[in-house]
Amino acid sequence: MGQTILIAGAGHAGGSAAAMLRQLGWQETITLIGEEPIGPYQRPPLSKAWLTGDETAETVALRPAGFYAAADIGLRLETRVIAIDRAARTVALSDGDVLSYDILILALGARPRPLPVPGAALQLRSIADADRLKAALRPGARLAIAGGGFIGLEVAASARALGAEVTIIEREDRILARVACPLLSDFFHARHQARGVRIIAGAHVAALEGIGGGIAGIRLHDGRLIECDSVLAATGAVPNDAIARAAGLSCDNGIIVDLAARTDDPAIFAIGDCTRRPLPLYGRMGRLESVPNALEQARQAAGQICGKPPPAPEVPWFWSDQYDLRLQIAGLPFGATAFAVRGDIGAGTFALFHLAADGTVQAVEAVNAAAEFMGGRRIILRRKQLTRARIEDMSVSMQQLAA
C-alpha cells in the first residue's frame, strides 16, 4: 500500500500544504480535514473587504472549487481531529471516524482569545464569524472593539466605512503596542481619530452589560460605561495545540517544530499559526501569525516530505490595510536600539528602519511605501548594516540602499 498523508486543518496553511505536495510530485493519498463547511480560504479579507461586501466566498477561496477533486485531494469538511494516537498512527475525528496516517501534518491554526468576562462578545476567525459581525454593522450602529491590534483597527476602519460608530478599548497604553513601535502607534491613532473612531487606551473590560438579551454596553475597570449595540473581542489569538499536547508532542505557546516544520515525532509535521518555530535570522524561537509564515512552513513541510532541498530562508513579514493606508512590516525588531525615518510621516508615506547597535537593520515598518518594504526585506535578509543618515537621505534610492 502507498503512504497516506493526513492534514488536520483546512485553513491557509493546510490547504497550501496539500497543493504544494501535489506540485512537488507526491502521488499518493492526501486527505485534508477541516471543521468548516467550505474548503480553504483566505482569512485576512474577513476584517476588511468581506465586511464591506467587496469579497465573496468565490474570491476569497484559495483555489477554485474543483481543484481538490482534480488534484485527487480528499476533503473531509465539517469535522476535526480530536485526538492523535501516535503509536497506532491514527487520528480520531469529531464525527466518530478513525483514520490512519503515515504522515500527519497539523495545521490547526489559532483561536481568538475570549474576553475574560461573561457575555456574548463577537469574535472574528471564520466566515461565519465575519457574517455575524457584518450583520451588526450599519449606519448608526455602535460597535465597541476590545483590542487595538491589527484586527481591531482593520474592523474599525471597515465599520466606519459602513457608517457605524466605533469605540476601541485597548488594555495597553497605546494601540498596536505588541506589534509596532510608539511612533507608528501614534500615527495610526491620529488617523483613526480623524475618521471618527474613539480610542480609549490603558483600560480593560470589567463586564459586558445587557438589556433584553442583547448588549447595552461595556463596563470598564474604572467604572465607566461605554454604550454599544455589539462588542468584538479582538484581544489576540491562542494556538490550537491541545491535541498535540495530549499526544505528548513538545509545545510551548504552540507546537515546537524545526526548520523543516517537523515536530519531535518524525511522522508528524506542524505548520502555521499553531507552531512555535526557529527564527534563524534572530537566533531564537517564535510564533508567527501570518499568511507568509503559513506558506513558508507549508513549503518546508512539503519539501521535506517529498525529498526536495529546503526552501530558501525568508524574512518574516506582515501587512495590514486600514482606510487608504497599507502597513507592511518586514522583520522583527529584536535587539533594535534606534530607528531611522525615511519619507514623510505627515503625508502618510514613510518607513521606519529599526537598527541594532552595530547598524544591522532588524525590521522595517512601511506605510504606503512599497519600495522601502521590498528593499527592507532584502536588506534584513542580508543582515546589512546602514547608518541612520544614509537611510534618511532621500537622494539615496532604495535600490542603492539594498545593493
Side-chain angles (χ1 to χ4, degrees), residues 300-387:
Q300 291 172 348
Q304 179 68 25
I305 291 167
C306 294
K308 304 296 184 182
E314 297 183 9
V315 174
W317 63 278
F318 315 85
W319 84 92
S320 177
D321 293 326
Q322 301 166 38
Y323 309 114
D324 57 349
L325 304 170
R326 165 153 282 201
L327 170 63
Q328 295 170 294
I329 299 176
L332 301 162
F334 294 126
T337 59
F339 66 88
V341 180
R342 182 177 173 86
D344 187 343
I345 295 176
T349 303
F350 65 96
L352 308 177
F353 285 65
H354 294 266
L355 310 174
D358 64 358
T360 301
V361 179
Q362 297 288 78
V364 175
E365 297 168 322
V367 176
N368 291 348
E372 279 70 19
F373 167 69
M374 295 301 294
R377 287 177 65 187
R378 294 194 298 273
I379 289 167
I380 294 165
L381 185 62
R382 294 173 53 202
R383 314 307 291 141
K384 188 169 182 178
Q385 297 174 339
L386 294 172
T387 65

Side-chain angles (χ1 to χ4, degrees), residues 91-397:
V91 298
L93 304 185
S94 56
D95 62 7
D97 277 0
V98 174
L99 301 181
S100 298
Y101 67 84
D102 296 288
I103 298 170
L104 175 63
I105 301 176
L106 300 176
L108 303 169
R111 63 191 182 279
R113 181 179 285 109
L115 289 177
V117 296
L122 297 166
Q123 297 181 328
L124 184 56
R125 188 67 183 178
S126 67
I127 281 179
D129 292 336
D131 284 342
R132 283 188 286 270
L133 176 59
K134 185 176 181 179
L137 300 180
R138 60 191 179 279
R142 301 168 301 173
L143 173 67
I145 301 173
F150 287 150
I151 297 297
L153 296 182
E154 290 166 1
V155 170
S158 298
R160 290 298 295 139
L162 293 168
E165 301 299 319
V166 180
T167 300
I168 293 174
I169 297 102
E170 170 54 50
R171 190 182 187 99
E172 303 294 331
D173 62 2
R174 59 185 176 91
I175 59 172
L176 297 175
R178 290 172 291 278
V179 295
C181 72
L183 193 155
L184 199 64
S185 293
D186 292 344
F187 172 81
F188 276 95
H189 189 122
R191 289 302 178 107
H192 278 276
Q193 281 195 323
R195 298 290 186 125
V197 176
R198 180 186 181 192
I199 298 174
I200 304 173
H204 64 264
V205 177
L208 302 184
E209 302 204 355
I211 183 171
I215 292 287
I218 283 181
R219 183 72 63 180
L220 302 184
H221 71 291
D222 60 7
R224 282 179 290 174
L225 179 67
I226 308 302
E227 295 183 347
C228 60
D229 307 307
S230 54
V231 176
L232 173 69
T235 50
V238 180
N240 289 324
D241 60 6
I243 64 171
R245 288 179 182 274
L249 297 173
S250 296
C251 297
D252 177 15
N253 185 32
I255 305 166
I256 295 176
V257 297
D258 64 14
L259 278 174
R262 292 172 298 201
T263 70
D264 46 15
D265 182 326
I268 302 178
F269 293 74
I271 58 177
D273 290 2
C274 68
T275 68
R276 185 171 178 83
R277 53 162 292 182
L279 301 173
L281 284 176
Y282 302 99
R284 63 179 66 203
M285 300 285 288
R287 189 169 74 83
L288 305 178
E289 296 176 20
S290 70
V291 168
N293 176 67
L295 294 173
E296 182 182 19
Q297 289 193 297
R299 282 190 287 269
Q300 291 172 348
Q304 179 68 25
I305 291 167
C306 294
K308 304 296 184 182
E314 297 183 9
V315 174
W317 63 278
F318 315 85
W319 84 92
S320 177
D321 293 326
Q322 301 166 38
Y323 309 114
D324 57 349
L325 304 170
R326 165 153 282 201
L327 170 63
Q328 295 170 294
I329 299 176
L332 301 162
F334 294 126
T337 59
F339 66 88
V341 180
R342 182 177 173 86
D344 187 343
I345 295 176
T349 303
F350 65 96
L352 308 177
F353 285 65
H354 294 266
L355 310 174
D358 64 358
T360 301
V361 179
Q362 297 288 78
V364 175
E365 297 168 322
V367 176
N368 291 348
E372 279 70 19
F373 167 69
M374 295 301 294
R377 287 177 65 187
R378 294 194 298 273
I379 289 167
I380 294 165
L381 185 62
R382 294 173 53 202
R383 314 307 291 141
K384 188 169 182 178
Q385 297 174 339
L386 294 172
T387 65
R388 181 175 175 179
R390 184 165 174 79
I391 292 168
E392 294 183 346
D393 184 352
M394 295 301 290
S395 69
V396 179
S397 70

